[in-house]
Amino acid sequence: MQVDPVAGYEDGAARLIGLSTRFETARQPPPHRHRRGQFTYCPDAPLLVQAAERFVVLGPGEAIWIPGGLPHALSARSARTAHNLYVEPGATVLLGDRPMLFRIGGLERELVHTLASSDRRASGQPAHERLIDVFFDRLRPARPVATLAIPADPALAAMQRQWHAGEERLLELSDWANRLALSPRSLQRRITATTGLSFRAWRQRVVLAAGFDPLMRGLPVKVVAADAGYGSASAFVSAFRKAFGVTPGALAEKGATERPGR
């Protein structure tokens, strides 16, 4: 019987395989893919997801569906519990062939926890199969609050990863051009063709997006603004709203109100 190389579950004929895993801050799976589709819910930490050339942060009241075979990376900036449901392709028409976000309320939270924690011997039992049916029936799509595209260009994607991690943010266009053995004009053309933005506008958007996670974890807006290099919270709020169509305060409130127990 095959074993999934990342998640570690034994594959089989079951339409749904559940797995709960506790990750410490420094232990995060590398980018990977599964034969089965993956439904992931983290009840205790904002989840950073990279899939289908998009970057999004999920609050505690949201889960994500990642179709089978799609490369993805999941991480958090704090320790987290991951409830994962691995679904056999074709097991339901409710989960499609592209990533989707879903709202997770009280009943859905208990269903996910139960299915992810169930003994594998329960697979195929009538009661267990009825739980799976109820879970599928309760799924309700959610719209992401803010997302960030991941450049298809590997060099630009690497630049974005560094900026998002808080690294090399002071380097200018000419510095990056020298690193890539390009002229500044050539590099700007590549950036514009890929992102539709100037170098500085693209960098600003990435730096602002790095605030998704700390805002949803409850860090004060003024602290996140300072980390992003803004001299005032009001300037950060204005830039954030213009870039993502939502205020930092609304994102922070979303993270607070959707935590279990609230």
Side-chain angles (χ1 to χ4, degrees):
M1 181 174 289
Q2 290 187 334
V3 175
D4 184 274
V6 177
Y9 61 83
E10 291 185 353
D11 211 341
R15 59 172 171 160
L16 185 150
I17 295 174
L19 189 67
S20 286
T21 306
R22 181 67 180 173
F23 291 97
E24 298 306 322
T25 305
R27 180 174 168 255
Q28 307 290 351
H32 60 280
R33 68 182 77 192
H34 309 279
R35 186 189 70 81
R36 288 173 173 261
Q38 178 179 348
F39 187 95
T40 293
Y41 170 57
C42 288
D44 51 7
L47 182 66
L48 289 73
V49 181
Q50 294 184 38
E53 299 182 352
R54 304 295 295 181
F55 170 94
V56 63
V57 175
L58 276 62
E62 298 169 324
I64 189 167
W65 163 250
I66 302 170
L70 183 69
H72 59 277
L74 309 175
S75 62
R77 295 183 180 177
S78 60
R80 66 182 174 99
T81 300
H83 295 319
N84 293 308
L85 306 178
Y86 298 96
V87 182
E88 181 69 12
T92 174
V93 297
L94 297 174
L95 300 172
D97 58 359
R98 62 183 60 188
M100 296 177 63
L101 299 187
F102 292 92
R103 295 191 297 271
I104 299 294
L107 177 55
E108 294 79 23
R109 184 163 57 244
E110 293 304 317
L111 286 167
V112 172
H113 179 268
T114 299
L115 291 171
S117 306
S118 294
D119 191 297
R120 290 292 301 277
R121 289 173 294 184
S123 179
Q125 297 297 315
H128 187 74
E129 293 301 306
R130 287 195 294 271
L131 279 180
I132 295 174
D133 290 336
V134 173
F135 165 69
F136 286 149
D137 187 58
R138 292 289 304 183
L139 291 178
R140 297 293 183 270
R143 295 184 62 186
V145 171
T147 65
L148 179 70
I150 301 171
D153 185 311
L156 301 189
M159 291 168 62
Q160 180 165 298
R161 283 194 298 270
Q162 287 185 281
W163 290 337
H164 193 270
E167 302 168 0
E168 309 288 28
R169 291 179 177 177
L170 297 180
L171 295 182
E172 294 298 336
L173 178 65
S174 58
D175 301 314
W176 286 106
N178 287 334
R179 287 190 175 192
L180 298 174
L182 296 169
S183 70
R185 182 173 296 180
S186 295
L187 178 56
Q188 180 59 75
R189 281 199 297 265
R190 281 175 64 173
I191 292 171
T192 302
T194 302
T195 70
L197 301 169
S198 69
F199 168 82
R200 290 191 175 183
W202 173 44
R203 181 178 60 185
Q204 179 194 43
R205 188 175 180 87
V206 175
V207 171
L208 288 168
F212 294 170
D213 176 270
L215 286 167
M216 296 186 81
R217 285 190 286 115
L219 266 68
V221 172
K222 63 180 181 181
V223 174
V224 180
D227 288 343
Y230 284 79
S232 68
S234 60
F236 175 77
V237 170
S238 177
F240 196 95
R241 184 195 295 118
K242 182 177 179 181
F244 302 115
V246 63
T247 65
L251 199 63
E253 181 64 21
K254 179 179 177 65
T257 58
E258 292 186 345
R259 292 189 185 98
R262 292 269 177 162

